[in-house]
Amino acid sequence: MRIQYGEIKSTRSTILQSKGVEESSANHIATVITESSTDGVYSHGLNRFTSIIENIEAGIIDVHASPEVVSSFGALEVIEGNLGMGIANASYSMERAITLAKTHGIGCVSLRNTNHWLRGATYGLQAAKAGVIGICFTNTCPNMPAWGALDSRLGNNPMIIAIPNGKRGIVLDMAMSQYSYGKLSDLASKDQKLSHYGGYDTDGNLSTEPSDIFSRGRVLPIGMWKGSGLSLMLDLLATILSGGDSTKGIGEKSSEYGVSQVFIAIDPTKNNTYESVTRSIEETIDYIKNSTTLDEDTTIYYPGEQSEKRREDNLKHGILVSEDIWLEIIKQL
Amino acid sequence: MRIQYGEIKSTRSTILQSKGVEESSANHIATVITESSTDGVYSHGLNRFTSIIENIEAGIIDVHASPEVVSSFGALEVIEGNLGMGIANASYSMERAITLAKTHGIGCVSLRNTNHWLRGATYGLQAAKAGVIGICFTNTCPNMPAWGALDSRLGNNPMIIAIPNGKRGIVLDMAMSQYSYGKLSDLASKDQKLSHYGGYDTDGNLSTEPSDIFSRGRVLPIGMWKGSGLSLMLDLLATILSGGDSTKGIGEKSSEYGVSQVFIAIDPTKNNTYESVTRSIEETIDYIKNSTTLDEDTTIYYPGEQSEKRREDNLKHGILVSEDIWLEIIKQL
């Protein structure tokens, strides 16, 4: 079914307010989630809304908490998330990084004791819309084995890089697992296979079956040993910069909360003209898109381009929503 | 054969000086290359030395050029590499980033018109040894197809993240292709297969044969579409921050020169104590290394750990050198 942007947003804001979230914060969070679904990232938009409500009800998310800057040195800042709403904390932190970038050319904010930010690209796009580069990453609970291991001791720690490009941005949003858990559960619920290997089955063989991969819990790191290493480095960076919990520490809790995140903003126009930056981006994007493709049905996309297309469609025709998920959500009204 | 550190270093410094490189710079470059071979990264150490000499002789590298800071704003700096020695330019740029990090907490230096830096981990370790986090990346000539493409329009753009840890550091050094070209050519020369798929053969099938992959030029990006996207983002970042050439621009030249690079340093002890940073790192490394492994012969390594082991061995017994390569090098004396 398709539902209009305004209805999705207001429904969610109403539900959040009924759970004690203050009005302006509820509107902001509802906007972020609606935007993710509008961009076609359903797995990290509407489809995750129920989990937020559950976490509020379980007392894992403190709806009355606000982020606080607890330490600062030049262009580096540390924010205490006080276990508040993940989206609110992350938006606030990227806003601080943008402000620092306007002052120092670059800003780096680390955030501790925060909760799931849902779609990481949100904060990259926030920077890009402000005309600056945005880089951010989060750690997660242990959900991916290190290369050579059977048990999960790494997070799949999504990393985002966004570059301003006109009104929105080019944005890469990637978990360190070949498929995000959101994507795996989305495909599992539709009984669809993965296009490529995404992890191991119970016999230790590479598999394209989301349900087999889930049952064994062995997701495949991107680039095998390389994604395993990158995941570890992102966890170390988030932990040592914020003073917050590592993937190990998060794994010792009853569920995934109190994660650590990093937000970096860089202003490319401090040392280069806006025109030269824009020209460079256009040239490279044109070059890549004009590659010789595998066949005539293949299109080369830049990161975030397919979301732009789904966005246009969703704004025009209403946002594509799974009926089950929608019924689940409006039950909360 | 095995040759002592001192002999390798002095031989190379002598050859560089005979090609017009000034003594202190020649000693520095010889040290960096010898260190890479000592760490067991032969493909980006001694084995590449001849290519530097060839590039000096071809006039691609200007041995008399020095890097210059051409623009600066707060913690952001742009350096003109003047087509000088890649190693000298990169070392200088990371040193500037470290200095900026000591002042502002974080520093970001972009470098344009520079040449191959050989082993990227060198500059990450440079930061780590100075007690700060080092992140750096470079673009390259087009040598990897975008996801869905047949022709190479992306670079394999290595990215490095290093974290201080005692005297040296934990360092991840990864090209965006599943195997670096250095590694592919190393294995091809030994007629060895890859342990995992590294690219496509002439029929478009995934292959573990370095020579087949070379002949078609279709190397596999890490994580398929993800590494393809990350490579593009790193090229865009290096280009728009430095104002230098993109992978597209480098591809229009007669050979790979005048690349763009970025060096970021972050001081984790500005907002956190040295003790808390060290404890966090130790805890996470211990946790990962104590994973349940696939079998009893498997060891979980942190990024850079295997180099540390090879380093001990090479320092004790002399550095492992291919006889052919050594004979090629001493011919230059």
Side-chain angles (χ1 to χ4, degrees), chain B residues 163-235:
Chain B
I163 291 179
N165 185 37
K167 280 190 192 159
R168 288 173 53 91
I170 299 165
V171 60
L172 177 78
D173 178 356
M174 59 182 229
M176 293 301 120
S177 50
Q178 188 64 54
Y179 293 89
S180 71
Y181 272 84
K183 183 80 182 173
L184 287 175
S185 87
D186 191 37
L187 291 173
S189 73
K190 294 176 189 156
D191 214 14
Q192 287 178 0
K193 284 199 178 194
L194 307 172
S195 58
H196 294 80
Y197 290 136
Y200 298 88
D201 64 18
T202 40
D203 298 326
N205 298 316
L206 281 164
S207 169
T208 56
E209 278 291 351
S211 52
D212 284 357
I213 297 169
F214 266 133
S215 64
R216 187 60 192 82
R218 276 181 71 196
V219 298
L220 187 69
I222 57 162
M224 296 173 275
W225 54 91
K226 292 191 172 186
S228 170
L230 183 52
S231 163
L232 175 63
M233 299 311 278
L234 295 177
D235 183 34

Side-chain angles (χ1 to χ4, degrees), chain B residues 177-305:
Chain B
S177 50
Q178 188 64 54
Y179 293 89
S180 71
Y181 272 84
K183 183 80 182 173
L184 287 175
S185 87
D186 191 37
L187 291 173
S189 73
K190 294 176 189 156
D191 214 14
Q192 287 178 0
K193 284 199 178 194
L194 307 172
S195 58
H196 294 80
Y197 290 136
Y200 298 88
D201 64 18
T202 40
D203 298 326
N205 298 316
L206 281 164
S207 169
T208 56
E209 278 291 351
S211 52
D212 284 357
I213 297 169
F214 266 133
S215 64
R216 187 60 192 82
R218 276 181 71 196
V219 298
L220 187 69
I222 57 162
M224 296 173 275
W225 54 91
K226 292 191 172 186
S228 170
L230 183 52
S231 163
L232 175 63
M233 299 311 278
L234 295 177
D235 183 34
L236 286 171
L237 290 176
T239 308
I240 67 177
L241 288 173
S242 72
D245 277 328
S246 63
T247 287
K248 172 181 185 287
I250 300 163
E252 287 161 1
K253 301 172 189 176
S254 55
S255 66
E256 185 187 67
Y257 67 90
V259 302
S260 304
Q261 301 174 340
V262 174
F263 301 83
I264 297 171
I266 312 174
D267 189 341
T269 63
K270 292 296 188 194
N271 291 311
N272 300 282
T273 63
Y274 175 78
E275 290 69 28
S276 73
V277 168
T278 309
R279 198 174 48 242
S280 280
I281 296 171
E282 278 174 8
E283 274 179 12
T284 288
I285 297 295
D286 280 353
Y287 179 59
I288 299 300
K289 287 193 66 70
N290 284 305
S291 298
T292 306
T293 55
L294 293 179
D295 51 51
E296 57 187 18
D297 297 330
T298 302
T299 304
I300 310 294
Y301 294 104
Y302 63 77
E305 188 178 3

Side-chain angles (χ1 to χ4, degrees), chain A residues 71 150-151 177 226 271 292, chain B residues 71 75 150-151 177 226 271 292:
Chain A
S71 183
L150 283 168
D151 55 337
S177 50
K226 292 190 172 186
N271 290 312
T292 306
Chain B
S71 184
L150 284 169
D151 55 337
S177 50
K226 292 191 172 186
N271 291 311
T292 306

Side-chain angles (χ1 to χ4, degrees), chain B residues 312-331:
Chain B
E312 276 175 40
D313 184 60
N314 279 329
L315 285 176
K316 201 165 165 185
H317 305 292
I319 300 167
L320 209 58
V321 174
S322 135
E323 198 163 336
D324 288 354
I325 288 172
W326 184 250
L327 292 175
E328 189 67 31
I329 288 171
I330 54 172
K331 256 200 265 171

Side-chain angles (χ1 to χ4, degrees), chain B residues 62-69 79-85 88-89 92:
Chain B
D62 178 358
V63 295
H64 304 295
S66 297
E68 289 171 279
V69 178
I79 293 180
E80 166 61 51
N82 290 315
L83 299 178
M85 299 288 291
N89 281 342
Y92 179 81

Side-chain angles (χ1 to χ4, degrees), chain A residues 180-228:
Chain A
S180 71
Y181 272 83
K183 185 80 181 173
L184 286 176
S185 87
D186 191 37
L187 291 173
S189 72
K190 295 177 188 153
D191 214 14
Q192 285 177 1
K193 285 197 179 195
L194 307 173
S195 59
H196 294 81
Y197 291 134
Y200 298 87
D201 63 18
T202 40
D203 299 326
N205 298 314
L206 281 164
S207 169
T208 56
E209 278 291 351
S211 52
D212 284 356
I213 297 169
F214 267 133
S215 64
R216 187 59 191 84
R218 275 182 70 196
V219 299
L220 188 68
I222 58 163
M224 296 172 276
W225 54 92
K226 292 190 172 186
S228 171

Side-chain angles (χ1 to χ4, degrees), chain A residues 71-78 101-106 108 133 135 142 146-154 159 161-163 170-172 174-175 177-180 195-196 218 222-226 229-230 232-233 235-237 239-243 246 248 266-268 270-272 277 280-281 283-285 287-288 290-294 298 300 302-303, chain B residues 71-78 101-106 108 133 135 142 146-154 159 161-163 170-172 174-175 177-180 195-196 218 222-226 229-230 232-233 235-237 239-243 246 248 266-268 270-272 277 280-281 283-285 287-288 290-294 298 300 302-303:
Chain A
S71 183
S72 173
F73 181 95
L76 272 188
E77 225 165 70
V78 180
K102 298 282 180 192
T103 310
H104 303 280
I106 184 169
C108 175
I133 293 160
I135 300 172
W147 187 246
L150 283 168
D151 55 337
S152 290
R153 297 192 171 208
L154 291 173
M159 177 177 76
I161 302 178
I163 290 177
I170 299 165
V171 60
L172 176 78
M174 60 181 228
S177 50
Q178 188 64 55
Y179 292 90
S180 71
S195 59
H196 294 81
R218 275 182 70 196
I222 58 163
M224 296 172 276
W225 54 92
K226 292 190 172 186
L230 183 51
L232 175 64
M233 298 312 278
D235 183 33
L236 286 171
L237 289 177
T239 308
I240 67 177
L241 288 173
S242 73
S246 62
K248 172 179 185 287
I266 313 174
D267 189 340
K270 293 298 188 194
N271 290 312
N272 300 282
V277 168
S280 279
I281 295 171
E283 275 178 12
T284 287
I285 297 295
Y287 178 60
I288 299 300
N290 285 306
S291 297
T292 306
T293 55
L294 292 179
T298 302
I300 311 292
Y302 62 77
Chain B
S71 184
S72 173
F73 181 94
L76 272 189
E77 225 166 71
V78 180
K102 299 280 181 193
T103 310
H104 303 279
I106 185 169
C108 174
I133 293 160
I135 300 171
W147 188 244
L150 284 169
D151 55 337
S152 290
R153 295 193 172 208
L154 291 173
M159 177 177 78
I161 302 179
I163 291 179
I170 299 165
V171 60
L172 177 78
M174 59 182 229
S177 50
Q178 188 64 54
Y179 293 89
S180 71
S195 58
H196 294 80
R218 276 181 71 196
I222 57 162
M224 296 173 275
W225 54 91
K226 292 191 172 186
L230 183 52
L232 175 63
M233 299 311 278
D235 183 34
L236 286 171
L237 290 176
T239 308
I240 67 177
L241 288 173
S242 72
S246 63
K248 172 181 185 287
I266 312 174
D267 189 341
K270 292 296 188 194
N271 291 311
N272 300 282
V277 168
S280 280
I281 296 171
E283 274 179 12
T284 288
I285 297 295
Y287 179 59
I288 299 300
N290 284 305
S291 298
T292 306
T293 55
L294 293 179
T298 302
I300 310 294
Y302 63 77

